Amino acid sequence: MENYKNLGFKVQDTNGNYISYYKDGKWDEGKIQKEDTITISAFSTALHYGQQAFEGLKAFRTKEGKIHIFRPDENAKRLQRSCEKILMPKISEEKFLDAIKQVVKANEDLIPPYGHGASLYLRPYVIGVGRNLGVKPAPEYIFGVLCSPVGSYFKGGLEPVKFTVTDRDRAAPNGTGDVKVGGNYAASLLSHQKAVEQGYADCIYLDPLTHTKIDEVGAANFFAITKDNKFVTPVSSSILPSITKKSLIHIAQNYLDMEVEIRDANINNLDEFKEAGACGTAAAITPIGRIDYHGNKHVFYSETEVGPITKKLYDTLTGIYYGDVKAPDGWIMVIE
Ligand SMILES: *Cc1c(COP(=O)(O)O)cnc(C)c1O
């Protein structure tokens, strides 16, 4: 683990992970286990009917050596919404935060040092388990938190990437696109693979009802900067509400003094934007250099250089992650 720049985003060995079981209508206390294996009935609803949800968040090491976890309460609330929507028992915010703390403490020595853009990625998950055949909610559940040290998404500086636009949908207008459930990801694998085969980083999903407005950029939310410096980001019933996006809205308004417009971004009117990006926990921000749509190649700021406003947003957000920029109240959980 010496070369933090090349850590990438993959599974590394850790000291352990958290696991808690739900039986007879209640969660047990939960514990840290060493192995990242679980034994469940092959009849489990998570395996057949996609009854599962997950989260993703990160722990960062500050310059002073403290551990910062970014907005874990937001992940706790989103996981509750996911569980509610697919009929799984909710995990209280208190239980969620306790699990996160236990995993971070057990793996404290694996949190990459400050200054490499690396972090400890945390992966909470809830799955329906138990012997069940009919389509109905599982009798039992597992809530776990896995982790892995991960590197910076960008090995050099922030590099713009290009995207194509898919005609397929990852979610339905009134489906499960607004919650973090595995089914949405299964539905995205083919489109992602086709985009990569054609030389793109990923594909853009349009709103599933009219196919005219940008919904998501792969598994990240979309934002753009208008020619008169407004921060624009769409909302729709099929967009997963990104915590990174929610944070960027606040940063744009309160740190960069920008106006924010929460409104549609029409795929046929990209000329109104001078910069664009994708945002999510994995990369924080990925600058969008170019979008190819129906033979039209739309270049934003540049295909090789990040735009100045995207750069400012990125620097402020990552500065908050690592404790170099003062965070708004309640954004950082410090682990002692
Ligand atoms: C997790 C996820 C995001 C990003 O959300 P963050 O909270 O910012 O990590 C965006 N889109 C989809 C589909 C996701 O699953």
Side-chain angles (χ1 to χ4, degrees):
M1 262 215 359
E2 291 309 300
N3 200 345
Y4 296 103
K5 266 207 155 79
N6 294 323
L7 262 178
F9 191 83
K10 53 182 188 278
V11 176
Q12 313 276 356
D13 288 337
T14 66
N15 303 333
N17 60 90
Y18 173 92
I19 188 151
S20 177
Y21 292 88
Y22 182 92
K23 265 187 200 130
D24 303 323
K26 57 178 191 300
W27 290 104
D28 71 8
E29 225 186 285
K31 61 169 199 284
I32 294 290
Q33 62 174 17
K34 171 77 184 111
E35 302 301 327
D36 60 16
T37 50
I38 50 177
T39 301
I40 59 172
S41 167
F43 283 107
S44 293
T45 60
L47 303 178
H48 299 254
Y49 305 133
Q51 199 191 17
Q52 69 90 253
F54 67 99
E55 275 300 327
L57 66 164
K58 283 175 170 176
F60 303 91
R61 181 80 69 180
T62 69
K63 207 180 269 174
E64 297 81 38
K66 284 192 200 143
I67 301 164
H68 273 187
I69 303 176
F70 186 72
R71 309 192 81 174
D73 56 314
E74 290 287 338
N75 295 91
K77 289 186 189 104
R78 189 168 66 189
L79 184 59
Q80 289 186 342
R81 291 198 296 272
S82 298
C83 287
E84 221 160 42
K85 196 153 190 179
I86 56 168
L87 296 183
M88 301 197 292
K90 286 200 278 185
I91 289 100
S92 71
E93 197 171 315
E94 191 190 352
K95 184 176 180 70
F96 182 91
L97 296 179
D98 171 60
I100 295 291
K101 259 186 228 165
Q102 286 195 42
V103 172
V104 168
K105 281 199 168 153
N107 293 284
E108 208 177 323
D109 56 322
L110 300 178
I111 303 175
Y114 173 86
H116 302 270
S119 58
L120 184 72
Y121 182 77
L122 296 155
R123 167 54 61 84
Y125 65 94
V126 184
I127 56 175
V129 299
R131 307 182 82 198
N132 174 72
L133 198 53
V135 181
K136 59 173 183 289
E140 296 173 5
Y141 295 84
I142 289 174
F143 163 52
V145 180
L146 301 158
C147 73
S148 185
V150 296
S152 169
Y153 194 83
F154 300 99
K155 291 200 180 79
L158 269 177
E159 292 157 34
V161 296
K162 61 178 179 173
F163 293 88
T164 182
V165 180
T166 178
D167 294 326
R168 293 182 206 88
D169 300 315
R170 59 176 281 281
N174 295 312
T176 54
D178 61 342
V179 290
K180 213 167 172 76
V181 299
N184 299 337
Y185 275 74
S188 75
L189 292 174
L190 178 62
S191 308
H192 173 75
Q193 181 170 301
K194 294 238 183 252
V196 170
E197 278 168 10
Q198 292 166 32
Y200 297 97
D202 208 333
C203 61
I204 286 180
Y205 293 95
L206 300 177
D207 73 290
L209 197 58
T210 70
H211 280 202
T212 57
K213 301 170 283 187
I214 295 181
D215 242 14
E216 297 241 27
V217 186
N221 278 187
F222 176 80
F223 73 86
I225 312 299
T226 61
K227 294 199 163 135
D228 56 352
N229 291 333
K230 289 182 181 138
F231 180 98
V232 173
T233 190
V235 277
S236 96
S237 63
S238 41
I239 293 178
L240 189 278
S242 153
I243 296 160
T244 314
K245 178 193 61 196
K246 186 175 179 176
S247 306
L248 288 175
I249 290 171
H250 184 93
I251 287 169
Q253 282 173 326
N254 298 285
Y255 287 67
L256 306 183
D257 238 341
M258 294 169 69
E259 261 181 67
V260 170
E261 287 182 356
I262 297 177
R263 59 144 167 103
D264 297 337
N266 198 300
I267 190 68
N268 293 306
N269 194 21
L270 296 177
D271 280 340
E272 64 169 326
F273 304 123
K274 60 176 181 183
E275 295 181 33
C279 59
T281 296
I285 289 176
T286 307
I288 301 176
R290 191 177 108 194
I291 294 178
D292 292 0
Y293 177 59
H294 287 178
N296 174 37
K297 297 185 196 315
H298 185 89
V299 176
F300 291 93
Y301 181 75
S302 149
E303 280 195 66
T304 50
E305 263 179 73
V306 59
I309 297 178
T310 305
K311 175 85 166 69
K312 267 191 214 162
L313 287 164
Y314 179 83
D315 288 345
T316 310
L317 177 64
T318 54
I320 289 171
Y321 287 166
Y322 290 100
D324 297 330
V325 172
K326 191 179 173 334
D329 286 346
W331 276 25
I332 300 290
M333 183 167 92
V334 182
I335 304 283
E336 304 296 343

